[in-house]
Amino acid sequence: MKSLSRKIKFFMVSLIILLLVNIKCLAQQVDCDHLIDFIEIKGYYYSSLSNYTLDSSWLYKVTVYTYEYKTFVIAEIKRNEYNYITSTYIFCGIPPSNWSNFQYGGYYDSDSYGERFHKYIMDYKCDCY
């Protein structure tokens, strides 16, 4: 009987360890470039604002996509205000009202797209590397 009890304990401990290892593997982060590519290909393009509209010293282009009823923003941000070399970032799970407030401005909002980006989009940077 003790032998059976030991085997059951060993089996249970092994099963728990196996589950923990699998959960750890599933929880790994995704590469931001792969996520951006995926959203650009599989997502539904909704709207975009270019540097001419944004008139910003640091925002170059901001594009919004939806995928599975979630809103994603892909932003090209200038590395400095003196040239047009950009880095691309993705922002996930943005409430549609935040996009609307960024794009059109809400009541008592700044006229600056840069300030509205900080207020409505920046906090939603995706957890990717």
Side-chain angles (χ1 to χ4, degrees):
M1 192 69 164
K2 285 186 179 186
S3 173
L4 182 60
S5 176
R6 248 187 255 172
K7 287 181 181 179
I8 291 173
K9 285 181 184 177
F10 176 77
F11 174 76
M12 294 300 288
V13 169
S14 299
L15 183 62
I16 290 170
I17 291 172
L18 181 64
L19 288 173
L20 290 174
V21 168
N22 283 335
I23 289 171
K24 171 89 170 122
C25 290
L26 291 174
Q28 290 180 351
Q29 291 182 328
V30 65
D31 179 282
C32 287
D33 291 334
H34 289 128
L35 181 58
I36 289 168
D37 290 343
F38 179 82
I39 293 300
E40 288 178 333
I41 292 167
K42 299 286 186 178
Y44 173 77
Y45 170 85
Y46 184 74
S47 180
S48 186
L49 298 170
S50 70
N51 60 332
Y52 300 108
T53 303
L54 295 167
D55 192 28
S56 171
S57 63
W58 61 280
L59 282 174
Y60 184 75
K61 184 177 180 184
V62 180
T63 307
V64 65
Y65 294 86
T66 58
Y67 180 75
E68 292 188 355
Y69 306 104
K70 292 180 179 64
T71 303
F72 296 85
V73 166
I74 297 174
E76 291 181 44
I77 298 175
K78 297 175 192 175
R79 293 187 183 174
N80 67 54
E81 63 182 289
Y82 303 109
N83 64 38
Y84 290 98
I85 298 172
T86 62
S87 297
T88 305
Y89 299 91
I90 186 164
F91 301 85
C92 300
I94 297 159
S97 61
N98 280 33
W99 170 256
S100 180
N101 286 335
F102 165 71
Q103 187 175 20
Y104 302 114
Y107 290 111
Y108 304 108
D109 263 341
S110 168
D111 288 337
S112 163
Y113 280 102
E115 289 179 20
R116 292 198 313 253
F117 190 89
H118 273 285
K119 183 175 181 180
Y120 294 111
I121 308 294
M122 190 64 85
D123 290 341
Y124 293 90
K125 186 169 182 319
C126 296
D127 187 18
C128 56
Y129 63 93

